[in-house]
Amino acid sequence: MMAAPEIEVEVEPNLRGPEIVTMGENDPPAAEGPFSFRSLFGLDNLKISPVAPDADAVAAQILSLLPLKFFPIIVIGIIALVLVLAIGLGVYFDCSGKYRCRSSFKCIELTARCNGAPDCKDGEDEYRCVRLSGQNAVLQVFTAAAWRTMCSDDWQGHHANVACAQMGFPREGCASGRAVTLQCTACGLRRGYSSRIVGGNVSSLMQWPWQASLQFQGYHLCGGSIITPVWVVTAAHCVYDLYLPKSWTIQVGLVSLLDSPAPSQLVEKIIYHSKYKPKRLGNDIALMKLAGPLTFNEMIQPVCLPNSEENFPDGKTCWTSGWGATEDGGDASPVLNHAAVPLISNKICNHRDVYGGIISPSMLCAGYLKGGVDSCQGDSGGPLVCQERRVWKLVGTTSFGIGCAEANKPGVYTRITSFLDWIHEQMERDLKT
């Protein structure tokens, strides 16, 4: 019997032989042909370098393995999915013709607002149900899904008490809407001081009786405006990092900070707008509540808030006041100063040569593009007031500016009409706590 011929096989030195793997009794057998999306589209043979992958090359390899007939299906599927999600979210979050609760994504019917029963999580649907509207300060109440004028259809007597509470006046003496109107408008009728404002910088006593000096640990830091016996409006940036009510005091009814000091008012509470952020310039508004009510007299009076939907025309001359520096980088002034500044439209103020688009609708500008007159450091939080029919109204709160009185850099103020609801809601919430 002839022996089988020997066959020589050359083995490559780096070629490994079959690997033997032992498997115990309890080891599961390997699944045959496991399903995966990689195998479905033939990606198992796709080799990608782990060292320096080329994203474009990888994408090209993947696309080359996908049959062209799948592309329209995939594209249409993605578009359909996006449309379904968009429509679904739009339907879910749509509040057209309804009232959206700020404390949640809930939408309620307009008829449920101001009906005496809170439907939102924080009950905000029952706040700000009464307002003074327009230049004539018409008293309106929100009822039956609409704003209705005082004494018209659906007017009820208890709305007068609600109006007093929201506007910071005592409930006593508010038995009728007429009483509310008289109380709210009387805050400015006795203050026709236009004959006294004849130029110059130094203010006289009783000229700006709503002006307040906000002092932190005894030093003047910002200005403020009295709006009720216990509430003062100021800027959020004045109090954001110094949120210590017991360290603040407020002085009112004075012109000079060097004279025998007027009695200081203690601060009970500080509320700044929840959307204010130091690195952003919007929502720069805050309220300070005094520990006790002020006694009004000729030297201490509140300034009227503007009415809802009330507009103040561009170019109108208004007045800013405060104990701020009289030059950029200077020290605070020991005496109260004031300046006449015309209102500037946001369009002009947003010009690329002025503030370059950073002025939002809730801000307003006042001053002169040529410079020379402006508010400055230490005036922050103080009033910008305009006179309408012998009534002084708080149109703005001093917020920020680039330098002081520089050309093309007028003062920027928080627009009070944009925050009327916020102001009234904070005062009304406080009454219920």
Side-chain angles (χ1 to χ4, degrees):
M1 187 175 191
M2 294 180 63
E6 294 182 0
I7 301 175
E8 294 182 2
V9 178
E10 293 184 5
V11 180
E12 295 181 12
N14 293 331
L15 182 63
R16 293 194 307 167
E19 202 174 285
I20 299 175
V21 180
T22 60
M23 184 171 64
E25 292 181 351
N26 298 325
D27 290 334
E32 295 183 3
F35 170 80
S36 71
F37 285 101
R38 289 177 61 86
S39 62
L40 176 65
F41 292 108
L43 304 182
D44 287 331
N45 297 324
L46 181 63
K47 296 181 179 180
I48 301 174
S49 171
V51 178
D54 187 338
D56 293 335
V58 172
Q61 284 181 296
I62 294 175
L63 291 174
S64 66
L65 293 171
L66 293 174
L68 291 176
K69 64 180 181 180
F70 286 165
F71 285 129
I73 299 175
I74 294 173
V75 172
I76 293 173
I78 292 174
I79 295 174
L81 179 61
V82 171
L83 287 175
V84 169
L85 289 174
I87 294 172
L89 291 174
V91 171
Y92 182 78
F93 292 113
D94 182 34
C95 271
S96 299
K98 297 182 180 180
Y99 176 82
R100 180 189 293 280
C101 299
R102 295 193 303 274
S103 54
S104 65
F105 291 113
K106 184 179 180 181
C107 299
I108 64 173
E109 298 294 333
L110 285 179
T111 52
R113 188 186 168 205
C114 300
N115 64 353
D119 295 288
C120 296
K121 180 180 177 181
D122 290 344
E124 63 265 29
D125 55 305
E126 295 302 315
Y127 293 115
R128 193 64 176 134
C129 298
V130 180
R131 71 182 187 183
L132 294 176
S133 181
Q135 190 174 17
N136 293 326
V138 175
L139 186 62
Q140 295 181 320
V141 60
F142 193 87
T143 184
W147 286 104
R148 300 183 182 276
T149 303
M150 176 191 68
C151 299
S152 63
D153 294 341
D154 296 329
W155 177 263
Q156 299 177 21
H158 75 274
H159 294 313
N161 287 330
V162 176
C164 280
Q166 289 182 342
M167 297 174 185
F169 290 95
R171 295 176 183 270
E172 294 77 11
C174 288
S176 69
R178 179 176 174 78
V180 179
T181 305
L182 290 176
Q183 280 193 304
C184 293
T185 56
C187 62
L189 289 177
R190 297 189 300 276
R191 296 200 297 274
Y193 294 120
S194 57
S195 61
R196 298 187 181 183
I197 302 173
V198 293
N201 289 324
V202 178
S203 302
S204 60
L205 198 62
M206 300 186 298
Q207 193 170 7
W208 315 109
W210 48 81
Q211 178 78 52
S213 169
L214 277 52
Q215 302 179 1
F216 185 78
Q217 296 181 348
Y219 294 94
H220 172 83
L221 193 62
C222 283
S225 305
I226 303 169
I227 58 172
T228 81
V230 294
W231 290 103
V232 172
V233 176
T234 187
H237 77 261
C238 290
V239 300
Y240 182 82
D241 291 324
L242 301 173
Y243 194 71
L244 302 166
K246 292 183 179 180
S247 297
W248 287 90
T249 54
I250 294 179
Q251 286 195 317
V252 296
L254 74 165
V255 169
S256 174
L257 297 176
L258 300 179
D259 295 341
S260 55
S264 296
Q265 309 295 323
L266 300 179
V267 176
E268 176 183 307
K269 182 185 294 186
I270 299 174
I271 306 172
Y272 59 81
H273 200 285
S274 60
K275 293 184 178 179
Y276 171 76
K277 302 296 180 185
K279 293 183 179 180
R280 300 177 183 178
L281 302 173
N283 304 296
D284 190 13
I285 190 168
L287 287 170
M288 281 188 167
K289 184 186 180 185
L290 305 182
L294 295 170
T295 300
F296 291 156
N297 52 42
E298 289 186 348
M299 295 181 293
I300 304 172
Q301 288 285 325
V303 63
C304 289
L305 293 175
N307 304 321
S308 297
E309 303 175 358
E310 185 172 12
N311 294 316
F312 298 89
D314 302 331
K316 181 178 178 61
T317 299
C318 300
W319 301 85
T320 182
S321 56
W323 286 274
T326 55
E327 61 181 1
D328 191 12
D331 296 328
S333 171
V335 295
L336 182 66
N337 292 291
H338 65 267
V341 287
L343 301 182
I344 301 175
S345 71
N346 281 24
K347 182 178 180 180
I348 293 176
C349 208
N350 268 324
H351 190 273
R352 64 178 181 272
D353 294 332
V354 187
Y355 279 107
I358 68 172
I359 306 302
S360 71
S362 62
M363 305 173 187
L364 64 87
C365 297
Y368 300 89
L369 295 181
K370 64 181 180 181
V373 180
D374 195 7
S375 52
C376 204
Q377 295 94 352
D379 292 324
S380 291
L384 175 70
V385 294
C386 303
Q387 193 177 37
E388 286 287 324
R389 299 184 181 183
R390 299 181 59 220
V391 176
W392 287 99
K393 296 188 176 183
L394 184 65
V395 176
T397 296
T398 306
S399 182
F400 70 93
I402 296 179
C404 297
E406 293 185 6
N408 286 332
K409 294 295 179 285
V412 183
Y413 301 80
T414 300
R415 189 184 296 269
I416 294 297
T417 51
S418 297
F419 296 95
L420 285 175
D421 285 350
W422 182 84
I423 293 172
H424 288 301
E425 185 170 324
Q426 305 316 308
M427 294 192 295
E428 190 176 358
R429 281 181 184 275
D430 184 75
L431 289 173
K432 296 183 178 181
T433 57

